[in-house]
Amino acid sequence: MGNLFLREKENWLAWSIWGVLGALVTLYVAMSTNIAHFAAGSAIGVLVILAWWMQQSKRFDFGRAFKICCYVLMLSLLPTLILVVIPSGDLNQFDMIFQSITLFALSLLACLICSFIARRPKQYY
C-alpha cells in the first residue's frame, strides 16, 4: 500500500548535495561559455537526471517531487544568476527584469514537468 499513513521526512542534506552538484556543473558551464542559455540548460539537465532517479524509485508524489525539484533547481541556478545575468553591464533595468522573469517562468515550467515525470504511478487495488 505504499506509505499510506507514514509520511516520509525529507532528507534536506541529500537534496542540498544534489543542488550543490548542479551548481558545480552550472558553474563550470557558465565559466566555460559565459552564455546564460547553456548554463540554465545544464541546471535543467541536472534536474532531469534527478527526476529520472525519483521516477525510478517510485516513492515521490507530485507535491513532494515539486518541492524537491524547486529546491534543487534554485540552488543549481545561482551560478547562472551571479556570473552571467547580473554582471552584464550593457543591460538596462527593463532587460534585467525581463530576463529574471523569463528565467523564473522557465524554471517553474521545468519543475512542473520534472515533478510530473517523477511522481509515482497511481495504484489500483
Side-chain angles (χ1 to χ4, degrees):
M1 287 191 76
N3 55 358
L4 188 59
F5 299 108
L6 176 66
R7 296 207 44 147
E8 291 187 29
K9 293 185 179 183
E10 292 299 335
N11 187 0
W12 290 107
L13 178 65
W15 307 129
S16 298
I17 291 172
W18 272 96
V20 168
L21 177 72
L24 290 175
V25 169
T26 305
L27 179 68
Y28 176 74
V29 171
M31 296 283 283
S32 299
T33 63
N34 205 17
I35 299 174
H37 301 306
F38 290 153
S42 66
I44 290 174
V46 170
L47 187 68
V48 167
I49 292 170
L50 176 66
W52 173 76
W53 176 78
M54 287 167 46
Q55 193 271 335
Q56 293 296 319
S57 68
K58 293 183 174 53
R59 298 180 326 152
F60 299 91
D61 59 347
F62 181 80
R64 185 174 174 217
F66 183 72
K67 180 174 49 173
I68 291 168
C69 287
C70 285
Y71 180 72
V72 170
L73 190 63
M74 178 191 67
L75 288 178
S76 297
L77 282 177
L78 283 177
T80 303
L81 290 174
I82 293 171
L83 293 177
V84 179
V85 175
I86 293 174
S88 299
D90 58 344
L91 296 176
N92 58 18
Q93 188 74 15
F94 179 74
D95 288 340
M96 182 74 71
I97 292 171
F98 182 73
Q99 279 189 356
S100 299
I101 289 173
T102 304
L103 187 63
F104 175 74
L106 289 176
S107 55
L108 184 66
L109 180 68
C111 285
L112 283 172
I113 291 171
C114 288
S115 298
F116 186 74
I117 291 170
R119 68 181 170 85
R120 69 174 168 251
K122 290 189 181 266
Q123 297 176 353
Y124 297 101
Y125 302 107

